[in-house]
C-alpha cells in the first residue's frame, strides 16, 4: 500500500515538474518571428546568465526601464551611478587613464557617439547575438563604427517635428488639426506667413518662436551636408544657407528673443506667449510636459518646414573590458525584443528603435498629452525620409559654436559671412587641428 502511494506521489511530482517546466519555458519563449534560442547568449539560457552590471547614466528614468530585463533574465543585477551628461566623457577618460572602474554599459549622447567609438573600447555586439537588422535602418547605421563593426544600440529613435499649442492654433488659424497646420508650414514661406498672422492678430503679444538658438539645432540637423571633412572645416561652404535662413527669420521679427535654457524660455511653454517649438519626439516628455504640467491635450506635433530631421538620442555600448559581457548582451537582446520596446514606450514614452514595434497596436494609441493625436505614423515617415549625417568627433563643439553665433546673428553682431567665418575661427582656437 505504501509502495503504491509512493509511486502515485512520484507520478504526481513528475507530472507537476513537467508542467512547471513547460510554464517556465513558456515564460521565456522567444518572441514571435525570432529564433527559438533568441534569449540565449553563448549557449547560456536566461537562468544561467548573471552578473552585476554597472551603468553610468544621468537620467533616473532609465533605471526601471533597464531593470525590466529581469522579466527574462532574473539573475542580472544592476548598479546605477549618476553621472551628469556634461561630465560623462571626462569621467570615462579619467577612469580609463587611471585604471579606475569603467561601466559595463557605456552611454553616449548623440553628440558624443563618435568620441566613444574612437576610444576603441566598444565591443562587437554582433558577436554576442545582438542583431542590428532588428533596428530601423538609420539607427543600425549610426550604431556601426567606421570599421563597420556593430557596437551600439539606441535608447530611442529621435525623429523631429514642430510642437505647437492647440489653443493658439484655433485662435489664429481656426483649426488645431496637425494635417492642416502642417500644410500651412510646409515650407518657410508658409511658416513666415503664419508668424506674421500671429504677430498681427495678437498685437505682438505672441511670437511664432521662443528664440533662434533653441531651434537652430533642428535646422543644422536637417542640413545633410558635412561640417568637417578630415580636419578641414566646411561650415562657411555648407552652412551659409542655414545661417541665411536664421537671418531671414530674425529680420521678420517673429521670435520672443528668449535664450535657450533660460528660465524665461522654460516658462514660455505654459505661458502661451510662444506658438511653436522645433523638437524631437522626446521633447514632449522631457521638455514640454515638465514645463507645462497643466497642458495635457493642448499640444500637437506636425511636419517641419526644414524637412525631416533627427535630434539627439542616446547610445548604449558594451565595454570591451567588461567581466559581464554575456549579461550586457542579454540586456541588449531584451532591449531589441518586442517586450523591451513596449516597456520603453510605456515607461518613458520613448519611441523604440526596433522596426517591428511600428506594427504593434500599443504604439498607435492616442497620445492624450497631444490631444489624442496618433503620431507613430508621422514619426515613422520622418525616419524613412530623413538622412542623418555621419557622427563626427567634435559634433558637440560644432553644435554649441553654431548656437552661439546664431545668437550673435540674432543680436545683430555681424553679417552671415562674418559670423560663419568667426565660428570657424572659434572652433580652430578650441581644436587647433582644424583648418579652413
Amino acid at each position: 500500500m505504501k509502495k503504491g502511494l509512493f509511486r502515485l506521489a512520484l507520478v504526481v511530482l513528475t507530472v507537476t515538474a513537467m508542467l512547471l517546466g513547460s510554464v517556465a519555458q513558456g515564460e521565456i519563449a522567444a518572441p514571435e518571428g525570432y529564433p527559438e534560442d533568441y534569449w540565449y547568449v553563448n549557449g547560456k539560457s536566461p537562468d544561467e546568465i548573471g552578473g552585476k552590471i554597472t551603468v553610468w547614466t544621468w537620467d533616473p528614468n532609465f533605471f526601471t526601464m533597464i531593470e525590466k530585463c529581469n522579466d527574462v533574465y532574473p539573475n542580472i543585477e544592476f548598479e546605477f551611478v549618476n553621472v551628469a551628461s556634461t561630465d560623462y566623457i571626462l569621467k570615462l577618460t579619467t577612469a580609463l587613464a587611471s585604471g579606475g572602474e569603467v561601466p559595463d554599459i557605456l552611454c553616449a549622447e548623440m553628440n558624443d557617439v563618435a568620441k566613444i567609438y574612437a576610444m576603441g573600447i566598444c565591443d562587437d555586439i554582433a558577436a554576442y547575438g545582438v542583431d542590428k537588422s532588428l533596428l530601423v535602418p538609420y539607427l543600425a547605421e549610426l550604431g556601426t563604427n567606421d570599421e563597420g563593426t556593430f557596437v551600439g544600440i539606441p535608447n530611442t529613435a529621435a525623429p523631429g517635428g514642430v510642437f505647437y499649442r492647440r489653443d493658439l492654433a484655433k485662435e489664429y488659424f481656426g483649426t488645431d488639426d496637425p494635417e492642416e497646420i502642417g500644410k500651412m508650414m510646409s515650407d518657410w514661406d508658409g511658416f513666415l506667413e503664419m508668424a506674421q498672422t500671429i504677430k498681427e492678430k495678437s498685437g505682438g503679444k505672441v511670437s511664432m518662436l521662443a528664440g533662434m538658438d533653441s531651434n537652430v539645432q533642428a535646422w543644422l540637423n536637417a542640413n545633410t551636408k558635412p561640417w568637417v571633412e578630415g580636419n578641414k572645416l566646411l561650415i562657411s561652404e555648407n552652412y551659409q544657407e542655414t545661417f541665411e535662413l536664421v537671418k531671414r527669420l530674425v529680420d521678420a521679427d517673429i521670435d520672443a528673443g528668449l535664450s535657450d535654457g533660460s528660465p524665461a524660455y522654460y516658462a514660455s511653454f505654459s505661458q502661451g506667449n510662444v506658438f511653436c517649438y522645433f523638437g524631437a519626439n522626446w521633447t514632449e516628455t522631457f521638455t514640454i510636459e515638465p514645463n507645462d504640467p497643466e497642458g495635457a491635450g493642448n499640444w500637437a506635433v506636425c511636419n517641419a518646414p526644414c524637412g525631416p530631421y533627427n535630434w539627439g538620442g542616446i547610445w548604449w555600448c558594451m565595454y570591451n573590458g567588461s567581466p559581464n559581457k554575456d549579461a550586457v548582451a542579454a540586456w541588449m537582446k531584451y532591449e531589441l525584443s518586442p517586450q523591451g520596446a513596449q516597456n520603453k514606450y510605456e515607461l518613458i514614452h520613448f519611441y523604440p528603435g526596433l522596426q517591428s514595434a511600428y506594427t504593434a497596436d500599443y504604439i498607435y494609441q492616442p497620445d492624450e498629452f497631444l490631444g489624442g493625436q496618433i503620431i507613430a505614423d508621422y514619426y515613422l515617415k520622418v525616419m524613412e525620409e530623413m538622412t542623418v549625417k555621419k557622427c563626427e568627433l567634435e559634433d558637440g563643439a560644432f553644435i554649441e559654436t553654431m548656437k552661439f553665433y546664431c545668437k550673435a546673428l540674432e543680436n545683430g553682431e555681424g553679417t552671415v559671412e562674418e559670423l560663419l567665418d568667426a565660428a570657424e575661427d572659434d572652433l580652430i582656437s578650441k581644436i587647433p587641428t582644424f583648418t579652413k
Side-chain angles (χ1 to χ4, degrees):
M1 182 69 177
K2 288 182 179 178
K3 185 183 286 187
L5 286 172
F6 175 77
R7 285 177 176 168
L8 178 61
L10 186 60
V11 169
V12 170
L13 286 169
T14 302
V15 171
T16 302
M18 290 173 65
L19 287 172
L20 287 172
S22 297
V23 170
Q25 282 296 104
E27 288 175 350
I28 59 169
E32 185 177 350
Y34 284 57
E36 288 185 8
D37 63 349
Y38 178 74
W39 297 124
Y40 283 62
V41 178
N42 285 330
K44 298 177 186 176
S45 71
D47 286 341
E48 295 173 317
I49 299 170
K52 190 172 188 178
I53 296 176
T54 301
V55 185
W56 294 355
T57 185
W58 46 87
D59 194 334
N61 287 291
F62 298 158
F63 297 175
T64 303
M65 179 197 81
I66 289 172
E67 289 177 325
K68 283 291 287 183
C69 93
N70 289 144
D71 292 348
V72 176
Y73 300 101
N75 298 318
I76 297 177
E77 296 180 58
F78 294 92
E79 180 181 8
F80 297 102
V81 179
N82 276 300
V83 178
S85 60
T86 51
D87 298 334
Y88 194 97
I89 294 295
L90 178 59
K91 183 175 175 65
L92 180 60
T93 53
T94 301
L96 289 166
S98 65
E101 184 183 29
V102 175
D104 300 284
I105 296 174
L106 303 170
C107 184
E109 284 197 320
M110 185 70 168
N111 289 343
D112 291 328
V113 164
K115 284 186 177 180
I116 293 278
Y117 290 179
M119 289 180 187
I121 59 173
C122 302
D123 216 329
D124 177 359
I125 55 179
Y128 294 83
V130 183
D131 184 359
K132 78 174 182 178
S133 70
L134 297 172
L135 288 169
V136 172
Y138 94 91
L139 295 170
E141 185 177 340
L142 288 173
T144 304
N145 66 18
D146 288 346
E147 288 72 46
T149 305
F150 181 41
V151 294
I153 64 169
N155 192 30
T156 180
V162 175
F163 292 85
Y164 65 89
R165 293 180 62 102
R166 288 181 180 270
D167 56 348
L168 297 180
K170 287 178 182 177
E171 181 176 354
Y172 299 124
F173 305 109
T175 179
D176 64 348
D177 186 302
E179 291 287 335
E180 294 302 314
I181 297 298
K183 287 177 185 175
M184 292 181 199
M185 63 169 70
S186 60
D187 58 28
W188 286 111
D189 288 340
F191 188 86
L192 282 166
E193 285 181 20
M194 294 178 74
Q196 291 304 325
T197 297
I198 289 173
K199 187 176 179 181
E200 291 169 9
K201 288 187 175 182
S202 72
K205 294 179 180 178
V206 177
S207 299
M208 187 71 169
L209 295 170
M212 296 299 153
D213 59 343
S214 57
N215 293 288
V216 73
Q217 186 164 348
W219 311 333
L220 294 169
N221 291 354
N223 183 336
T224 60
K225 298 174 184 176
W227 64 269
V228 65
E229 192 171 276
N231 289 326
K232 179 174 169 49
L233 294 174
L234 302 173
I235 296 173
S236 292
E237 181 179 339
N238 287 343
Y239 285 82
Q240 181 166 341
E241 185 178 340
T242 304
F243 261 39
E244 285 176 348
L245 165 67
V246 173
K247 182 68 165 60
R248 184 183 177 193
L249 299 179
V250 168
D251 289 346
D253 190 25
I254 63 166
D255 72 286
L258 306 178
S259 295
D260 185 27
S262 66
Y265 167 74
Y266 287 121
S268 70
F269 286 94
S270 62
Q271 289 174 343
N273 57 330
V274 173
F275 176 66
C276 68
Y277 306 77
F278 287 72
N281 52 0
W282 48 263
T283 301
E284 174 190 347
T285 304
F286 289 85
T287 305
I288 302 176
E289 286 189 41
N291 291 294
D292 188 16
E294 304 301 318
N298 192 37
W299 290 87
V301 63
C302 69
N303 55 265
C306 59
Y309 65 91
N310 181 87
W311 188 341
I314 293 169
W315 293 83
W316 307 100
C317 305
M318 178 194 295
Y319 174 45
N320 60 12
S322 168
N324 300 299
K325 292 182 182 181
D326 287 350
V328 173
W331 170 74
M332 288 182 165
K333 294 185 84 166
Y334 177 78
E335 285 292 295
L336 298 190
S337 71
Q339 294 96 314
Q342 185 167 356
N343 160 55
K344 185 191 304 288
Y345 180 82
E346 292 179 347
L347 281 177
I348 56 177
H349 209 214
F350 272 1
Y351 280 76
L354 186 70
Q355 286 193 76
S356 63
Y358 297 90
T359 64
D361 290 341
Y362 70 84
I363 213 163
Y364 291 94
Q365 298 304 307
D367 185 319
E368 298 308 320
F369 192 82
L370 296 182
Q373 187 178 357
I374 299 173
I375 51 177
D377 277 333
Y378 167 71
Y379 287 142
L380 187 59
K381 182 173 183 288
V382 172
M383 287 190 280
E384 289 171 346
E385 293 179 353
M386 70 187 176
T387 299
V388 180
K389 291 189 286 287
K390 173 181 172 289
C391 295
E392 300 290 350
L393 279 175
E394 299 297 342
D395 277 339
F398 165 68
I399 292 295
E400 290 308 310
T401 299
M402 295 299 274
K403 285 173 67 174
F404 178 84
Y405 286 97
C406 172
K407 191 67 178 176
L409 185 61
E410 185 177 6
N411 293 336
E413 296 174 17
T415 66
V416 166
E417 292 78 10
E418 289 169 346
L419 293 174
L420 285 172
D421 191 55
E424 291 189 335
D425 288 339
D426 196 349
L427 276 169
I428 290 169
S429 72
K430 294 171 184 171
I431 305 152
T433 53
F434 283 151
T435 62
K436 289 189 178 181

